[in-house]
Amino acid sequence: MAQTKKIHLFANWKMYLDLGESVSLAEKFISGNYGENLSVAVFPSALAMTSVKEILKGSNISLGAQNTYWVDRGGYTGEVSSFMFKGAGCTYALVGHAERRHVFHETNHDVRQKIEGMLTASLTPVLCVGETGKERKAGQAEEVLEAQVRAAYMGLAWPEGSDPVIAYEPVWAIGTGESCDPKEAERISGLIYNWTKELIGGEVRPIILYGGSVRAENIVDYISNPHIQGVLVGGASTKEKSWEELVEALK
Ligand code: PGA
C-alpha cells in the first residue's frame, strides 16, 4: 500500500537468535528495500549488538537495546547500562516490555528509573505498555495503561525537540497469534497519545506503535489508523521470510 505518513517498523529479536544467527539476519535486513517512509530499527541481544552494528553501518537502519540499567557503571553483575548501549551505537531502548514486567517482575517504578537513565544517556526510550487478558476482562485495561503511562512520564523533564515513542502491546496478544482488533488498538492508541501529550506538555507529538502478533496479513490493518504510526514486531521479525513479507505488505 502507498504510505504517506512515516511508518516505524521496529524489530524486537528478544532472545530468539544467537550471535551467528543475529549476524546473518542483519545481513538480510540491510538488503531490504525500505523506501523513504519507513523508519526501521532492530533490537538485537546485548551479545550481538556490536557485530550487528558493524553490519548496519552505512544503512538507514537504527539500533536499539532490549533492556538497560540506569546507573552508568558499577557493581551490577549481569547488567549493561544505557550509557554503554549509547556508546555501542544505539539510538533507542525498549523499556517496560511485557516480558520484563511479567517474567522479570519489573515495576512501574523500575520503568521510570530506566527512562531517566536512557534520557541522561541520550537514548530514546520506547516505552511499552499493555494490559493482561485478565485485566481486560475485568474492565481495567484503561486504568492499568494510564497508570503505566503516568508512572513513566509524570513530572519528567523531557528533552526538547524529540518525540516520545510508546508501543501499545496488549500482553495477551504478544507471541500468541491472538492479535488485538485494529479498531480497539486505534482507540487505545488515541488515549495513550493524549495522556502522553498532557503529561509531557510542550510541543511533543507522541509516536504510538502497536505490537502483539503483527504479521504480513495484519500489519496494514494497524498502520492505516490515524494514531498508529508503526509496529513493534517480535516473532515475525526474527525470520528472513516473514520479515520480507512484512516489508512487502507495506509497499
Ligand atoms: P510478537 O512480539 O510480535 O512475537 O507478538 C511483539 C513484542 O513482544 O514486541
Side-chain angles (χ1 to χ4, degrees):
M1 71 173 285
Q3 287 299 325
T4 46
K5 68 178 176 186
K6 185 110 189 153
I7 298 297
H8 296 73
L9 180 58
F10 283 9
N12 175 11
W13 288 353
K14 309 193 183 188
M15 205 184 72
Y16 284 123
L17 307 174
D18 67 18
L19 177 58
E21 290 161 344
S22 302
V23 164
S24 79
L25 188 58
E27 276 159 357
K28 303 287 180 333
F29 268 45
I30 54 166
S31 61
N33 176 14
Y34 300 115
E36 276 181 15
N37 286 330
L38 214 51
S39 167
V40 178
V42 56
F43 297 76
S45 68
L47 175 74
M49 196 61 77
T50 49
S51 306
V52 170
K53 186 200 164 194
E54 280 305 304
I55 295 162
L56 299 186
K57 213 187 261 173
S59 79
N60 288 329
I61 303 177
S62 304
L63 203 56
Q66 295 180 13
N67 179 41
T68 65
Y69 196 64
W70 55 86
V71 178
D72 285 356
R73 51 174 93 229
Y76 301 96
T77 303
E79 295 294 318
V80 182
S81 69
S82 284
F83 160 81
M84 290 171 179
F85 279 116
K86 180 71 186 181
C90 289
T91 304
Y92 298 102
L94 301 180
V95 58
H97 189 279
E99 286 149 13
R100 300 298 319 171
R101 292 182 192 266
H102 297 286
V103 182
F104 299 100
H105 310 293
E106 286 185 5
T107 63
N108 279 338
H109 178 68
D110 297 326
V111 169
R112 172 58 174 254
Q113 283 187 286
K114 289 186 176 203
I115 290 176
E116 290 181 9
M118 289 168 188
L119 293 179
T120 306
S122 303
L123 285 177
T124 300
V126 178
L127 170 66
C128 304
V129 296
E131 81 287 355
T132 63
K134 200 170 157 202
E135 287 159 348
R136 176 157 283 269
K137 282 197 193 85
Q140 295 164 345
E142 288 178 29
E143 190 188 314
V144 168
L145 292 164
E146 188 172 0
Q148 291 176 348
V149 174
R150 278 195 176 276
Y153 296 136
M154 199 161 69
L156 185 69
W158 189 260
E160 239 177 82
S162 77
D163 290 325
V165 186
I166 306 101
Y168 170 51
E169 298 204 303
V171 180
W172 46 272
I174 297 177
T176 58
E178 198 189 330
S179 45
C180 181
D181 173 23
K183 283 200 182 65
E184 176 61 2
E186 163 61 18
R187 188 183 73 82
I188 298 284
S189 298
L191 292 174
I192 294 172
Y193 183 96
N194 292 337
W195 294 328
T196 305
K197 208 167 159 47
E198 181 202 309
L199 286 162
I200 294 183
E203 295 301 307
V204 295
R205 300 179 61 175
I207 295 166
I208 317 291
L209 316 180
Y210 170 77
S213 298
V214 172
R215 302 177 299 274
E217 303 82 68
N218 61 17
I219 189 167
V220 173
D221 298 338
Y222 292 109
I223 54 115
S224 33
N225 290 287
H227 283 105
I228 303 179
Q229 293 186 52
V231 284
L232 179 56
V233 188
S237 76
T238 62
K239 294 186 188 77
E240 183 188 356
K241 187 165 181 289
S242 46
W243 175 254
E244 280 173 3
E245 288 168 356
L246 280 172
V247 174
E248 199 52 39
L250 293 173
K251 286 187 179 149

